[in-house]
Amino acid sequence: MKKAVLFDLDNTLYDYDKPHKKALKNVYRVLKKHVKISFPRFLLLFGFAKREIHRELAGTAAAHNRILYFQRLIEKTESTVDPGLNLLLYNAYWDCLLKNMRLRPGALDVLKELKKKGLKVAIVSDLTTNIQLRKLKKLNIGKYIDVLVTSEEAGSEKPHQIMFLLALNKLRLRPHEAIMVGDNSITDIEGANSVGMDTVLLKRGILAKVSKEDYRKPNYVVKGIPGVLKILEKV
Ligand SMILES: [Mg+2]
């Protein structure tokens, strides 16, 4: 019998792609008031900025900080701009994304059921604590979450083992007593498997090629969050 479930947040408990696209459009709406730029060029420069930041800060929480993406983007437009513009873009992004976030079908019922069964729930997520707290608040699931671990807090991103070990340490549990649920077979599954946890892959995210002995091979695969309850009955 497992004592805890660790969940990834982005694209696992809620759908990230749609609100992210809307948020980027909202950023462009603000940016074009200050800088002459077409939408395709904005997307191109945003992509360059994001990849550069990822390359430079790989493995750290700051690698996903939108304020760094937008700073780099603004600099790439070679415009003389108001220093406050980045903050406008940052808020335009998160305000829009938060407004459009929706829990995945069945996710709330699963969290309620886990509470009822007396299991602990952790969120193990890359990014800053400030933003992840804002998401939990918007999704209104704080009362079902026992601990939160962010990469900002742990000092490294998934799949680094510290992310999972810190969550287990906060819960006072050992790896075999918990199960990790996530949409990414590299960050979520490989990382949790490598510390000896059982893993559940939500089949909609990044599916890396796996070989038989690979840490990227999940113990279980589900198509939706409710599938997690059935797995917990089995293990
Ligand atoms: Mg994810």
Side-chain angles (χ1 to χ4, degrees):
M1 178 70 190
K2 298 290 178 193
K3 293 182 179 166
V5 182
L6 278 53
F7 283 103
D8 166 51
L9 180 58
D10 301 301
N11 226 16
T12 293
L13 288 181
Y14 78 95
D15 168 50
Y16 168 80
D17 295 331
K18 266 185 254 161
H20 167 69
K21 276 184 192 143
K22 277 193 183 172
L24 275 187
K25 277 186 191 154
N26 199 40
V27 168
Y28 176 67
R29 199 179 52 78
V30 175
L31 179 66
K32 74 176 185 197
K33 288 181 197 160
H34 302 262
V35 176
K36 198 173 177 299
I37 186 170
S38 70
F39 188 60
R41 178 133 184 95
F42 158 73
L43 288 180
L44 184 78
L45 293 185
F46 179 78
F48 287 156
K50 183 175 163 181
R51 283 196 294 279
E52 284 179 17
I53 298 295
H54 281 192
R55 197 179 308 119
E56 291 156 13
L57 295 170
T60 69
H64 296 287
N65 197 328
R66 307 304 189 266
I67 208 152
L68 300 181
Y69 300 173
F70 297 139
Q71 186 61 35
R72 192 65 61 94
L73 167 77
I74 292 166
E75 286 158 4
K76 283 181 185 302
T77 66
E78 293 175 21
S79 299
T80 306
V81 291
D82 178 340
L85 179 57
N86 189 348
L87 296 172
L88 287 178
L89 301 185
Y90 186 74
N91 291 334
Y93 180 84
W94 286 117
D95 290 348
C96 183
L97 189 133
L98 287 159
K99 202 176 111 195
N100 287 286
M101 287 172 78
R102 301 286 178 272
L103 279 174
R104 285 207 188 278
L108 185 62
D109 291 336
V110 168
L111 291 172
K112 282 181 182 167
E113 189 61 25
L114 294 175
K115 252 291 96 112
K116 226 167 94 186
K117 287 182 190 293
L119 274 88
K120 298 281 185 194
V121 172
I123 299 289
V124 179
S125 180
D126 291 337
L127 209 68
T128 57
T129 299
N130 182 313
I131 293 296
Q132 300 312 61
L133 285 175
R134 284 176 70 186
K135 289 178 187 166
L136 295 179
K137 187 163 179 262
K138 167 67 208 323
L139 294 171
N140 199 19
I141 54 172
K143 54 183 170 291
Y144 307 108
I145 311 297
D146 296 286
V147 304
L148 165 69
V149 170
T150 67
S151 51
E152 179 181 41
E153 176 186 15
S156 291
E157 290 191 308
K158 297 179 283 185
H160 197 292
Q161 294 183 332
I162 188 68
M163 291 290 287
F164 306 94
L165 295 175
L166 183 53
L168 292 169
N169 188 38
K170 285 184 178 190
L171 294 167
R172 298 267 173 259
L173 293 175
R174 286 172 291 176
H176 69 271
E177 295 176 302
I179 195 162
M180 172 72 199
V181 181
D183 70 302
N184 187 315
S185 57
I186 300 169
T187 55
D188 301 316
I189 304 305
E190 182 178 348
N193 275 339
S194 76
V195 300
M197 290 178 62
D198 280 344
T199 52
V200 182
L201 178 70
L202 177 69
K203 204 174 175 183
R204 41 196 329 146
I206 297 161
L207 304 175
K209 273 193 179 163
V210 292
S211 60
K212 239 182 174 176
E213 311 294 329
D214 205 317
Y215 277 153
R216 291 179 184 176
K217 190 172 157 37
N219 298 96
Y220 307 93
V221 178
V222 292
K223 283 191 183 143
I225 296 295
V228 174
L229 289 179
K230 284 187 201 113
I231 288 161
L232 285 169
E233 281 165 22
K234 277 193 259 174
V235 295

